[in-house]
Amino acid sequence: MGLTHIRTPKNFVLEERLERYARAIETHPEHLAGHWAHACYPLETPLQEPDAHPNTRQYERVHLDLGCGKGSFIIQSAQRDPRTLFIGMDTEPICIAYAAQGICASELPNAIVTPRGAHAVEQIFSPGEIDAITLNFSTPYPKAHDVRRRLTTIEHLMAYRHVLAPGGTLTLRTDSQPLRDWSLIQLDAAGYETLWVSDDVRTNHPDIPETEYETRLRENGAHVWGVCATPGVDPTEEMLARGREANPSLMTYLPDDLDTLDYVPLGMEAAVLNARNRRRRAAERNR
């Protein structure tokens, strides 16, 4: 989830929160590569028959939420699907603290968070270990020089391919149509097969949990754009090159007349305002 300014309550002490909810935080995730489904399985659980051998007890699926924010998505998902392990990753300690608190408060055995970012995916997970990856409202980073920070670059998509199981899915949801459209180009270049593309995910896929963050965006006029894809044949070098050559500025995916926009995606406000001002000054000079 794209980071907004998270309000913390009075007397909030981050270190104390992280310690209090440590049960739901994995601080050394690299040690669990290849073993997440088994290692995180509760010692006592009704998910399997009582006489099942301890070494065979594990979750049926592993779902990774990259940029999990305050954890609303994985908490709702874990409540709905107790046979799947939901792992939230985020680089912001405050997000990790809030997500862990929510997991503990909900008494969920099948959800956990870890303080890592997308660059660590291949160190944390073994090939084929992940059944699904979600990117929920990732920061769009609209400027060309920030392109490497987006979670749908060719490099990231190739890393996701490495850890996704056969038939595994990657789902992006965003309030930024430019990010969705640019990501479609990257997915195609990285050899992914599109399962669905939506201009209104909430209407087309109402079964996906709606977070408080998404609700606020929609109340402010946002559409939720999305795409779900699965790795196909391995991409050629020519395909990868085409993806890397795609215009990296998300501003090029907006209409020419920026004044027609009735909603500016979160994280693109400054770029849109600057572009509007530049075009306005240029128009004044040409009068």
Side-chain angles (χ1 to χ4, degrees):
M1 181 184 72
L3 178 67
T4 56
H5 295 290
I6 298 176
R7 294 181 180 179
T8 56
K10 188 177 181 180
N11 300 322
F12 179 95
V13 179
L14 177 60
E15 292 75 13
E16 186 273 333
R17 293 292 181 104
L18 293 173
E19 182 178 354
R20 188 193 313 177
Y21 303 113
R23 180 194 70 75
I25 304 172
E26 177 52 60
T27 56
H28 298 91
E30 294 80 5
H31 298 165
L32 295 181
H35 306 287
W36 283 90
H38 171 70
C40 294
Y41 201 79
L43 294 177
E44 297 181 6
T45 175
L47 295 183
Q48 294 199 19
E49 295 300 324
D51 59 350
H53 192 278
N55 291 333
T56 66
R57 291 183 175 182
Q58 64 178 40
Y59 289 104
E60 295 176 359
R61 290 167 46 86
V62 179
H63 186 134
L64 172 63
D65 185 26
L66 270 175
C68 66
K70 296 168 71 174
S72 179
F73 177 82
I74 61 171
I75 290 170
Q76 292 184 66
S77 298
Q79 290 170 332
R80 296 181 181 188
D81 185 4
R83 296 184 180 274
T84 294
L85 173 65
F86 291 88
I87 304 170
M89 289 175 59
D90 208 293
T91 57
E92 292 294 332
I94 292 178
C95 290
I96 292 295
Y98 272 115
Q101 178 177 346
I103 291 170
C104 290
S106 301
E107 299 182 346
L108 292 168
N110 60 323
I112 193 168
V113 289
T114 187
R116 295 291 189 277
H119 291 288
V121 163
E122 290 184 281
Q123 288 72 53
I124 293 177
F125 302 105
S126 292
E129 187 169 18
I130 303 297
D131 296 281
I133 298 175
T134 49
L135 309 174
N136 290 315
F137 303 97
S138 307
T139 302
Y141 297 110
K143 296 183 179 180
H145 63 76
D146 284 329
V147 65
R148 293 185 179 181
R149 303 179 69 180
R150 296 175 200 155
L151 297 185
T152 51
T153 62
I154 289 290
E155 287 69 30
H156 283 317
L157 293 176
M158 295 304 291
Y160 305 154
R161 284 185 65 112
H162 187 66
V163 301
L164 279 169
T169 59
L170 173 69
T171 303
L172 167 72
R173 292 190 304 142
T174 177
D175 66 321
S176 171
Q177 182 181 1
L179 177 62
R180 195 280 307 268
D181 291 350
W182 181 84
S183 298
L184 284 171
I185 298 173
Q186 302 302 297
L187 286 163
D188 181 65
Y192 282 72
E193 296 178 359
T194 300
L195 300 178
W196 55 258
V197 178
S198 174
D199 294 350
D200 186 355
V201 176
R202 184 49 44 206
T203 297
N204 300 146
H205 301 277
D207 54 311
I208 298 177
E210 181 174 30
T211 66
E212 294 178 2
Y213 184 84
E214 178 183 352
T215 301
R216 289 199 303 271
L217 290 179
R218 294 205 306 120
E219 288 174 349
N220 290 331
H223 284 275
V224 179
W225 313 85
V227 56
C228 181
T230 188
V233 297
D234 290 335
T236 64
E237 288 301 320
E238 290 76 13
M239 292 169 62
L240 296 173
R242 285 200 301 271
R244 295 188 178 102
E245 290 168 0
N247 194 319
S249 173
L250 295 187
M251 299 301 293
T252 61
Y253 297 84
L254 289 173
D256 292 334
D257 186 356
L258 295 177
D259 290 330
T260 64
L261 289 177
D262 55 5
Y263 175 82
V264 178
L266 201 66
M268 295 186 66
E269 301 97 332
V272 169
L273 177 61
N274 291 337
R276 281 172 170 166
N277 290 337
R278 285 195 302 271
R279 294 178 187 183
R280 192 169 292 114
R281 288 193 295 267
E284 292 173 352
R285 287 196 298 269
N286 293 331
R287 287 176 181 173

